[in-house]
Amino acid sequence: MSHRSLLPSLNPAAVAAGHDLTDAVTIDGHTLSRSDLVGAATSVAERIAGVDRVAILARPTATTVLAIVGCLIAGVTAVPVPPDAGSAELGHILADSGARAWLGEAPESPTLPVVPVRAYARSWHRYPEPDSRTTAFILYTSGTTGSPKGVMLSRGAIAAGLDALFDAWGWTSKDTLVHGLPLFHVHGLILGVLGPLRIGSRLVHTGKPTPAAYSEVAGTIYFGVPTVWSRIAEDPDAARRLSAARLLVSGSAPLPVPVFERLRELTGHDPVERYGMSETMITLSTRFDGERRPGWVGLPVAGVQTRLRDEAGAPVPHDGESIGGLQVRGPMLFDGYLGRPETTAESWTADGWFITGDVAAIDTGGFHRIVGRASVDLIKSGGYRIGAGEIETCLLGHPAIAEVAVIGVPDADLGQRIRAYVVPRDSEKISESELIEFVAQRLSNHKRPREVVQVSELPRNAMGKVRKKLLG
């Protein structure tokens, strides 16, 4: 597919020539055809043409979709803002991004002008395709280490990233994508909205990603984070209604192996797992026509190269066991952090590889397993380098455990000792010694937790990732 047009399915000439689709996007009780999208979004583009960047309160609504498409038509940079952002986060995003106005909805007492999005307005003005190097989005990271950083993604990077996924997932215009993910991150917005609009498939956004909502829509591809798939796996009737789908795709955090296996049992599908970041979009994935291995995120997508390095910068063997820092390069990577040249420079090696900050293992066939963040998931205990994810997967195999997070805490003797936080399936107290022994019998003795803490829930962000820095 040519990179010349980011959204070829919304080409006005093609739509006018009869290639309309009456239900291109269904969201928040509204259904938009391709001609609706072109006409209303072009009307939006006319109102913002010439502005450098605007903020969009990314509620899952037709207004948000039209605002996003209007920005892409006009070549204006969009800054998606979490709709539940607190005052400090909101103030930081607006000040850091330099957004000139709110496009569409705005929070109470907005400090910027508000440009309305009129769903029934129409314009058929033709805009030239913006340069592929134009920054399409500034996406703000979750801010787990300091203030959220603005990730600049170009139109060309987005096109390359999406085309690689169309290849990996066999995604075509005949598909119907179903999801209920937030529209201010790569997963829900770029993959989940721009993906269907680029390839020309249908999109049904369910508002919230509940088992009932997913099971009520006859889709061919379903997107979810592990929390979503865990809930679906616990609702057998809803899960079985997804059996007619083509792909169940999980991302944004590791999918627990027991959930993978339960979905296989209930739906007949092995979930597709993939790996990416705001800075890289999706760089690794299992394929629609290839092996899908529980706990592994597959191979580099088209155009991507990967490598592992240890703390000294030396290569780490691809034996499936040795873990090292994951570095990537490819055409879908970001252009840097807005206004942070030093941080941007620190994120790249001298020979042009992006340092993800994640640790991983690669087997002899090129399959990747993500251990987690180097800062919280690589535990150095008693001279051993231990991945928290392996211990978490083991504990999730215990029938009494619903959720788990493993961290390393300072220890005068070991350097770090392993502590596990567990959420039980019911309120009954679980024996700490039983869980420690459960791990010791299945993994190397040095990988057993020294402490197990029972909690009612784990702290998570909007995408379902556990915020481990709040533990310990």
Side-chain angles (χ1 to χ4, degrees), residues 45 48-52 69-78 127-128 130 134-136 155:
I48 59 173
V51 177
D52 52 359
V69 177
C71 286
L72 293 173
I73 291 173
V76 172
T77 301
Y127 283 85
T134 302
T135 300
R155 300 173 70 92

Side-chain angles (χ1 to χ4, degrees), residues 271-307:
V272 165
E273 295 189 69
R274 85 300 181 284
Y275 163 83
M277 305 172 64
S278 299
E279 293 89 340
T280 66
M281 292 195 285
I282 306 306
T283 51
L284 301 167
S285 182
T286 53
R287 293 183 57 88
F288 79 102
D289 56 356
E291 179 186 2
R292 303 176 207 170
R293 189 187 308 169
W296 294 71
V297 293
L299 303 164
V301 300
V304 171
Q305 294 174 294
T306 66
R307 70 185 189 184

